[in-house]
Amino acid sequence: KYMSRDGLTINGYLTLPKGTNGKNLPVVVNPHGGPWARDSWGYNSEVQFLANRGFAVFQMNFRGSTGYGKDFWEKSFKQWGKNMQNDITDGVDWLIKEGIADPDKIAIYGASYGGYATLAGLTFTPDLYACGVDYVGVSSLFTFMESMPPYWELYREMMYEMVGDVEKDSAMLREVSPVFHVDKIKAPLFIAQGKNDPRVNVDESDQIVKAMKKQR
């Protein structure tokens, strides 16, 4: 566990490669999807694969992760790219301070919300990561909200409260949408997307790839 910059205790899991002393390691930061879900104790094939290849893997249950009470969950409301992202950044800073991470060899990888956190990490803290892998990640909170499938319609009002209203909170949503800040990306970025994903539409990946190509 570690402390966020605003005094919140963040719990998580750190997997170390076998045979290492746990110091000065290349690290894969792996924020979970959801975001209202959590990482839990148990076997994770992706984490074990990475650890087997010599990487430490860092999973954190940032604010909004479930299982820590209503207050911890509500602290995530309208905090995409803000305090939710700070919880990840503060964890990485903790790894560096503890001597666990080689500060020049830190990658970030995640799917769905974890993919969004990857894009946010590379755009809002561009000097922190050596590279990133975004798997079905949200790049624009506008198109994300607008592309909800019809059977999610009753959930839309809740999403406006938890993520942001596309009209009332438009300035904030633009501020935290990575697609509008691709000029800040410095590190290599790999993007993967399923064409028929019903929740995170393929446009989420296509539009950030297009925006990055314009920066060439």
Side-chain angles (χ1 to χ4, degrees):
K1 63 183 180 181
Y2 59 91
M3 197 74 72
S4 71
R5 65 189 68 183
D6 61 344
L8 203 60
T9 298
I10 307 297
N11 293 277
Y13 299 93
L14 176 64
T15 302
L16 300 175
K18 188 176 180 180
T20 67
N21 63 2
K23 298 295 182 183
N24 201 40
L25 294 168
V27 176
V28 175
V29 178
N30 184 213
H32 64 71
W36 305 288
R38 66 173 292 164
D39 281 313
S40 56
W41 178 253
Y43 179 79
N44 183 308
S45 58
E46 282 192 340
V47 171
Q48 292 301 316
F49 175 85
L50 291 167
N52 180 263
R53 267 62 179 175
F55 297 97
V57 183
F58 180 55
Q59 302 164 279
M60 77 305 299
N61 284 323
F62 44 79
R63 71 191 67 203
S65 299
T66 52
Y68 296 96
K70 182 181 178 182
D71 184 60
F72 190 83
W73 171 62
E74 289 183 338
K75 286 185 184 297
S76 71
F77 287 12
K78 299 185 179 180
Q79 290 299 316
W80 285 45
K82 294 179 177 290
N83 281 330
M84 292 172 74
Q85 193 69 29
N86 289 342
D87 291 344
I88 300 171
T89 303
D90 293 345
V92 176
D93 289 340
W94 175 81
L95 288 175
I96 296 171
K97 183 179 178 181
E98 293 292 315
I100 297 166
D102 179 340
D104 295 323
K105 295 181 179 180
I106 301 173
I108 183 167
Y109 155 62
S112 193
Y113 178 82
Y116 166 81
T118 296
L119 297 176
L122 295 188
T123 51
F124 305 140
T125 52
D127 296 318
L128 193 60
Y129 299 106
C131 61
V133 177
D134 156 35
Y135 177 33
V136 296
V138 174
S139 64
S140 167
L141 293 184
F142 293 103
T143 52
F144 170 67
M145 301 292 276
E146 292 164 357
S147 64
M148 286 186 191
Y151 57 88
W152 275 47
E153 191 58 37
L154 293 176
Y155 193 44
R156 188 184 298 273
E157 290 302 316
M158 285 185 64
M159 291 293 282
Y160 281 174
E161 182 179 350
M162 294 189 292
V163 180
D165 188 302
V166 292
E167 294 182 0
K168 297 176 183 177
D169 301 309
S170 60
M172 182 268 288
L173 293 181
R174 184 178 179 85
E175 180 188 352
V176 299
S177 293
V179 72
F180 300 116
H181 307 283
V182 294
D183 59 304
K184 297 182 176 67
I185 295 176
K186 298 179 180 180
L189 170 62
F190 182 88
I191 297 175
Q193 172 75 43
K195 183 177 181 180
N196 297 320
D197 192 316
R199 184 59 205 97
V200 179
N201 191 280
V202 65
D203 290 340
E204 292 300 320
S205 292
D206 287 348
Q207 64 190 350
I208 195 163
V209 170
K210 184 178 180 180
M212 290 180 69
K213 285 181 176 179
K214 286 184 178 179
Q215 294 295 315
R216 290 181 176 176

